[in-house]
Amino acid sequence: MQRQDFRSSPLGLHRVAEPAGALPQAAWRLDASPGLWPDEARVRVDRLNLDAASFRQLTEAAGGTAAGPGGDTAHAAAMRAAVLGIIAERGKMQNPVTGSGGMLTGVVEEVGPDSPLGLAPGDRIATLVSLSLTPLAITDGLARWDGRSEQVPCDGHAILFGRSIAAVLPADLPVPLSLAVLDVCGAPALTSRVVRQARSGGTPPVVAILGAAGKSGSLSAAAARDAGARSVIGLVPSQAEADLLTASGLADRVVIADARDPAAVAETVRGAGGPAHVTVVCVDVPGCEGGAVLATADGGTVIFFSMATSFSAAALGAEGVAADITMLIGNGYVPGHAALALDLVRTEPGVRHIFEHRTAEG
Amino acid sequence: MQRQDFRSSPLGLHRVAEPAGALPQAAWRLDASPGLWPDEARVRVDRLNLDAASFRQLTEAAGGTAAGPGGDTAHAAAMRAAVLGIIAERGKMQNPVTGSGGMLTGVVEEVGPDSPLGLAPGDRIATLVSLSLTPLAITDGLARWDGRSEQVPCDGHAILFGRSIAAVLPADLPVPLSLAVLDVCGAPALTSRVVRQARSGGTPPVVAILGAAGKSGSLSAAAARDAGARSVIGLVPSQAEADLLTASGLADRVVIADARDPAAVAETVRGAGGPAHVTVVCVDVPGCEGGAVLATADGGTVIFFSMATSFSAAALGAEGVAADITMLIGNGYVPGHAALALDLVRTEPGVRHIFEHRTAEG
């Protein structure tokens, strides 16, 4: 049954199969049928980019790193079955444990007459809205995916609503690089905004990035410096990551600590010129709230970008140590975010170095 | 084993039993033994005030509202067993499902020589840090609690760390009223700050409060008006709550909608003078993120106070509808929060009316 007032809702309410009335992101199941409503567009999907928290959870649930003869094959089969099962059941790739999704690339196949997105058939695009709200069907069994990379080659289709932001992929950058950058482009954009706001209130802020040698972390470090941070402290978990970050030149100080150890994080950031006025959490494991709170000066701001963030741990953690800080839920949408992130990759060799290293790992 | 560098940590790290290195709020288990470290204080506890999300979860897990003969007794026994079990296992009252706690009242029993809290034996106090990080032991089996109220009469002891904020209870207000007010005093303080910031940026903001007839909601409504909101829209789920809120006079507009229905919330707030520049979420049920996002104007702010908030639902929900809004994790600590909230109860008869109604329900 279609409600007249929900016909072609720009938010996609008309595609929600259950529960009724939910937004597509919060819904359990979407209708991913290929027929278009007038303001929709359909994309032939060639690649999914699972978000880091989801990929980590799926990998752990599938038994972690495979070992021994036959291990790789079994692991790949388990990963494929998990992702296909979720998409078949939910009509979208939203990890039921982490609640998160990722993004996709593909080629625009058909555009409804009322679509406001400005796309044309044949455009090569990436979605900038989460897979967790994008109707999706897979038709190739993910046969080309080995389960080892967040980037999943595939064949299938996806639906874009009237308000589903998508970016035409730039011609001057490799597609996997653009995809990886666009997936996390909200982080540098919001970091840039918060650093500029802090600057406008007085002195340039000290910025600490937890997980600075990762994708969103390296972009956020570059954005913070670009926005006028006094100094950028990059915190990483290991000597290998420290070497990578140091080579990139993106951080003024590179320090090593376990982001889940609050006392260690606070002490390490303090020793590198902190506490921070702006702390950016880009570590995709649970339990980093306390360290971020303790590393931040009174009156400062923590931006949580990790989907592994616990709302109650952050709220109660700050209260529990009487920390007068502002804590932001990292909104993945900031106007101009895609252009800002792609420009950082073009102008900051250190960002590109880290992204190419990360993509090579996958 | 005590680490020398953790001796009498003002954050209570020395009381963390497992896992080592965690902050007390994030820890699974605390050491609640009554002997004091030099900067601690011990309180003889006479009442726990469970937070709303935790109480609701415990009530539902115990089978909801009891019905029929003997139902009350069975329900009370189940609730007592649940709370006693958590405290015995964890050394603190932190609901393992919601992660949240609440607060307590009692009389200061002993103060270590280095305690910075300014308390003396005999002071009647309420804690302003969460039960989720406060070492606690119960000795009376909760025999006087019927399981029907968030306020749990009890006997036992609790430990305050060097940085554990506590307030001496005011002499001019009934203790249950002060306790209920102090439990949610972070909400009006942060609402007041955000409304003042919005005002300083230009015109006075339209403020929408989801759950405005509740405790944190009514205080936030009063704080928003006090801070100079252009108008306060109070959203409630039922006619009974609408009548209560209307009688209180705390909202300029009173509207009815299910806060979990995003389209309904957006439409209702819009019809009452929205979208809001500041939206405050005080509804203690899951699934209110989408409505709050859609009810908020671009450039506006959502403050999430409900412990039932899902971080990923908020982050991805805003991204999914391309909403350029700031989303705040409601930090329970803002300097001066206790005094601000108690003053609102003294000066706004509508707030006191709602609190007395809510306490009578319990």
Side-chain angles (χ1 to χ4, degrees), chain B residues 306-319:
Chain B
S306 166
M307 284 298 157
T309 303
S310 157
F311 180 88
S312 61
L316 297 175
E319 178 189 306

Side-chain angles (χ1 to χ4, degrees), chain A residues 129-141:
Chain A
V129 292
S130 173
L131 286 177
S132 64
L133 57 88
T134 303
L136 176 69
I138 296 296
T139 53
D140 71 343

